[in-house]
Amino acid sequence: MAPIGKLWGPPGHALAKRVRAVAAFAGLEYETPEYVHFQTNLTPEFKSKFPLGKIPAWEGNDGVLLSETTAIARYFAYLAPNSGLLGTDAKSEALVEQWVSLADKEIQSRNGLIFQICTGKIVPYNKPIHTHFVEEQLRAFDVVEKHLATRTFLVGERITLADITLASATATAIYVTLDAPTRAKYPNTIRHLETVAYNPKLASTFGELKYAEKAMQYVAPPKEKKEPKPQAEPKPKAEKKKKEAEEEEEDDDLVPKEEPKAKNPLDLLPKSSFNLEDWKRAYSNKDTRGPGGSLEWFYEHFDPEGFSIWRVDFKYNEELTQTFMSSNQIGGFFNRLEASRKYLFGSMGVLGKTNDSIITGVLIARGKDIKPVVDVAPDWESYAYAPIDLSDASQKAFFEGALAWDLEVDGKAWVDGKNFK
């Protein structure tokens, strides 16, 4: 397919990324002109087409000019009617529009306001207003979380424009407001984000998701230092009094000093040649099996001295009922492993059917002992862990099946899965 127009805007910009994701899912090709933010969009030529200088901006070969993210995304979806992005009937189309509106107005807009408040672009800083916007956004996430408790996608059984819009907004929120403790309250929302962002058609556009340990906070700028007044050379007696005063100040300093944080023992291990972040990128962007696939990359780079591979099995499979609920359980477990993200990769799934399923999968962990990596999750003992020996053909097959999401155990086929990346 020949390019159908030009899309202006920096690829990493959250809103530009959203329309690129819609175009990727719809299978549309377009040109990406050279663009420098706050330069290109301020030129007379650009403003003659897009008067407000807003990005992303669309210039179609048919002469259509669009400069609002929602409009461009909807237009792209319209150009691919068989993609299902807009829904399949009047009811589903209305529901897609409802969730697009909620994601835009209640989540993405709050991301922008909170970011500007915390970075000093909206002054003066006002803590109650900051808190108000966070609470409004979390109220919207509460609605999303409840809705996704029984669904994989927002509308129907396939990705729609609503899912891409929500995932785009959530991908920004995970480093603005949804810190590690808050994310633990929204396992279904995070599962949805990862399902959409790591979809094969969308993974290269979304890239690696960036999770913040702490929500963005306002930091006051340092006060300007006054020029020191020239001082006369102190007399010995005055010098002595000054020293005594300093000593008294030290004695009277009742503010407790923070204890230096102890290093994680995993950080003290000998350096490994295997880069876990490189592996996560390879897994996200390559086919799992076949020449040039992520498994081939893994076997070429894996360091068995610095890392270990583990089979993970849920201990209480007899308690599992609906498979989507089991999938949500994996998402919750992975959310609670957040503190070990830099030491861990996981691929776990639900195998079987309703009222007859199991949860199993694999973890790739820093070091030779799995406990220091997984005991950050309160429910880690609900799972059994066994080291995987890749020289054993059956264990290797299990490992590859868990990564490729085509694993079968005792006649139970893979139904749904989650990755911890």
Side-chain angles (χ1 to χ4, degrees):
M1 177 186 289
I4 60 172
K6 298 176 182 177
L7 183 62
W8 301 83
H13 189 279
L15 298 180
K17 188 180 289 187
R18 184 202 301 180
V19 296
R20 291 174 191 274
V22 176
F25 196 87
L28 304 176
E29 293 187 14
Y30 53 86
E31 297 178 59
T32 52
E34 185 177 347
Y35 179 89
V36 180
H37 205 29
F38 295 130
Q39 292 184 26
T40 306
N41 58 323
L42 300 181
T43 62
E45 181 185 1
F46 190 91
K47 285 197 165 186
S48 69
K49 301 173 183 176
F50 312 103
L52 293 178
K54 294 176 70 173
I55 54 94
W58 172 253
E59 182 179 3
N61 292 343
D62 57 0
V64 65
L65 299 174
L66 298 171
S67 62
E68 294 293 337
T69 304
T70 304
I72 300 171
R74 173 170 281 280
Y75 181 65
F76 284 176
Y78 177 80
L79 293 177
N82 295 328
S83 66
L85 283 169
L86 294 176
T88 56
D89 53 28
K91 178 182 175 181
S92 60
E93 286 181 17
L95 289 170
V96 167
E97 186 64 26
Q98 168 190 279
W99 290 108
V100 167
S101 181
L102 181 141
D104 260 336
K105 295 177 180 178
E106 304 295 332
I107 297 176
Q108 183 59 43
S109 68
R110 302 303 185 264
N111 284 331
L113 289 167
I114 294 165
F115 180 84
Q116 292 179 70
I117 287 172
C118 292
T119 54
K121 291 181 172 62
I122 296 178
V123 292
Y125 175 74
N126 185 299
K127 178 66 173 175
I129 291 178
H130 179 186
T131 302
H132 172 72
F133 286 139
V134 172
E135 289 175 347
E136 282 196 331
Q137 187 186 70
L138 295 183
R139 181 185 63 179
F141 274 125
D142 288 340
V143 174
V144 169
E145 180 68 16
K146 184 178 180 180
H147 182 75
L148 291 173
T150 57
R151 299 167 177 85
T152 301
F153 302 113
L154 290 169
V155 182
E157 302 300 324
R158 297 176 59 189
I159 288 177
T160 66
L161 182 60
D163 297 297
I164 295 176
T165 304
L166 174 63
S168 172
T170 308
T172 302
I174 58 175
Y175 66 84
V176 175
T177 52
L178 297 183
D179 55 15
T182 310
R183 287 196 297 275
K185 301 175 184 177
Y186 299 105
N188 301 321
T189 304
I190 300 303
R191 179 261 302 163
H192 175 270
L193 166 63
E194 294 178 346
T195 299
V196 175
Y198 294 135
N199 179 279
K201 292 183 179 180
L202 301 173
S204 61
T205 304
F206 272 89
E208 193 67 29
L209 298 174
K210 298 177 182 178
Y211 294 88
E213 285 297 310
K214 294 183 178 180
M216 189 173 284
Q217 298 294 329
Y218 173 74
V219 178
K223 294 182 179 179
E224 292 185 10
K225 292 183 179 180
K226 295 181 179 179
E227 290 292 328
K229 295 180 180 179
Q231 294 182 349
E233 191 170 332
K235 297 179 182 179
K237 187 174 181 181
E239 189 69 39
K240 183 179 178 183
K241 286 184 178 179
K242 181 182 176 184
K243 186 176 181 182
E244 289 173 352
E246 289 173 347
E247 290 173 352
E248 285 178 7
E249 286 176 2
E250 289 174 0
D251 291 340
D252 292 341
D253 184 5
L254 301 179
V255 180
K257 303 291 191 297
E258 284 190 10
E259 292 288 333
K261 289 184 179 179
K263 276 199 169 185
N264 190 310
L266 296 168
D267 291 329
L268 304 177
L269 294 173
K271 190 173 181 179
S272 172
S273 60
F274 182 70
N275 186 304
L276 192 60
E277 294 306 313
D278 286 348
W279 156 245
K280 291 177 180 180
R281 280 189 286 272
Y283 181 80
S284 297
N285 297 314
K286 297 173 180 285
D287 290 335
T288 308
R289 299 185 185 275
S294 61
L295 279 170
E296 184 178 278
W297 188 99
F298 179 84
Y299 292 135
E300 181 181 346
H301 296 88
F302 183 62
D303 168 26
E305 295 303 316
F307 286 80
S308 52
I309 307 171
W310 299 81
R311 172 171 174 165
V312 187
D313 290 283
F314 184 54
K315 293 179 179 178
Y316 311 108
N317 289 316
E318 67 278 2
E319 297 178 1
L320 301 178
T321 56
Q322 301 290 330
T323 55
F324 77 85
M325 294 174 67
S326 302
S327 183
N328 290 342
Q329 178 176 313
I330 298 171
F333 177 50
F334 280 171
N335 283 337
R336 291 183 284 277
L337 287 170
E338 179 65 31
S340 287
R341 186 170 294 277
K342 64 186 285 191
Y343 312 112
L344 185 66
F345 168 87
S347 183
M348 293 178 61
V350 184
L351 284 66
K353 59 185 179 181
T354 299
N355 296 323
D356 183 23
S357 64
I358 63 173
I359 292 176
T360 188
V362 298
L363 298 177
I364 299 170
R366 185 73 166 104
K368 295 286 194 178
D369 186 4
I370 193 64
K371 183 180 176 182
V373 185
V374 297
D375 67 1
V376 298
D379 55 343
W380 73 277
E381 291 183 298
S382 296
Y383 297 84
Y385 307 86
I388 287 180
D389 179 4
L390 293 177
S391 65
D392 181 286
S394 62
Q395 294 186 51
K396 184 177 181 180
F398 181 94
F399 171 71
E400 293 183 351
L403 265 61
W405 286 23
D406 56 13
L407 179 65
E408 186 171 321
V409 175
D410 297 332
K412 292 180 172 65
W414 190 282
V415 177
D416 195 8
K418 294 279 188 298
N419 289 129
F420 184 83
K421 294 188 283 186

